[in-house]
Amino acid sequence: MNLDHVRAPGPYPPVQVQGKNRQYAALMLSNIGSANSELSAVAHYRYVHVDCDGDLAQLAHELSVVEMQHLDDFARLAKLLGEEPRFWQCCGNRKAYWSPSYVDYTYRSTQDLLQKLIAEEKAAIRKYAAQAARIGDPFVVAVLNRVIADEEVHVRLLEDVLKGV
C-alpha cells in the first residue's frame, strides 16, 4: 500500500536519543497513552474505517497506518529515554493506562465527524509543537517535527474531504 499521499515528503528521522531523560520520556508516554495520543488517533480512525463507507473509510484506514508509525516511534523514544513503553501516561507519581473512552464515537453527520477529526489532529500538532519547544534533545525534536508534518498533511486531507461534504 502506497501511503505517500497521507505522509509528509521525505524520510523519517532515526529514532534515537542523546541519553536517558525521564521528563522527556513522560512526554512521549503522553503521546502514546493519553486522550490526545497516537493510540487514540489509531482507535478513532479504525472505528471510522469500519463505520463509514467509500473514500472516507479508505482514508481513515490509511491515516491509521501512519498514526501507528507515530505510535511506534513515540514508544521506542519512551523506552530509549528510560520508561516502559506501555499504553499509559504519567499522572503524578503513578501511571494511568489508555482507555477506549478517550475516543469520541459520537457524531451526528459526516461533517460533524470530519470537524472532530480535524480538531483532534490540530490538538496533536499543538501538543507536539509545545513539546518540541520544551525538549533539548535534537533527536527527539526531529521525530516530533516529522510527526507534526504528517499531522499537517492529515489536516489538509480531512479539510479537503470536508469541503466536498
Side-chain angles (χ1 to χ4, degrees), residues 1-10 12 65-66 69-70 146 149-150 153-154 157:
M1 169 182 359
N2 185 341
L3 298 173
D4 289 345
H5 65 286
V6 294
R7 289 186 170 135
Y12 284 85
V65 173
V66 175
Q69 174 68 50
H70 300 164
R146 173 53 202 228
D150 283 348
V153 170
H154 299 175
L157 290 168

Side-chain angles (χ1 to χ4, degrees), residues 21-89:
N21 184 311
R22 299 298 278 242
Q23 291 177 331
Y24 298 167
L27 295 172
M28 296 306 105
L29 290 180
S30 171
N31 298 346
I32 295 169
S34 69
N36 179 2
S37 71
E38 295 300 316
L39 185 57
S40 294
V42 169
H44 203 173
Y45 284 126
R46 296 310 309 158
Y47 175 71
V48 172
H49 172 70
V50 172
D51 192 49
C52 295
D53 297 312
D55 291 342
L56 181 54
Q58 181 61 33
L59 177 61
H61 170 71
E62 294 166 347
L63 294 176
S64 75
V65 173
V66 175
E67 302 294 2
M68 283 187 269
Q69 174 68 50
H70 300 164
L71 178 64
D72 184 65
D73 287 351
F74 287 139
R76 292 186 315 151
L77 283 173
K79 185 173 183 177
L80 290 170
L81 290 163
E83 281 286 354
E84 190 173 351
R86 296 184 187 184
F87 296 144
W88 59 9
Q89 63 180 315

Side-chain angles (χ1 to χ4, degrees), residues 3 12 18 21 27 29 34 58 81 90 113 126 137 140 142 155 160-161 164-165:
L3 298 173
Y12 284 85
Q18 286 182 324
N21 184 311
L27 295 172
L29 290 180
S34 69
Q58 181 61 33
L81 290 163
C90 295
L113 168 63
R126 287 189 303 273
D137 184 324
V140 177
V155 169
D160 287 346
V161 174
V165 173

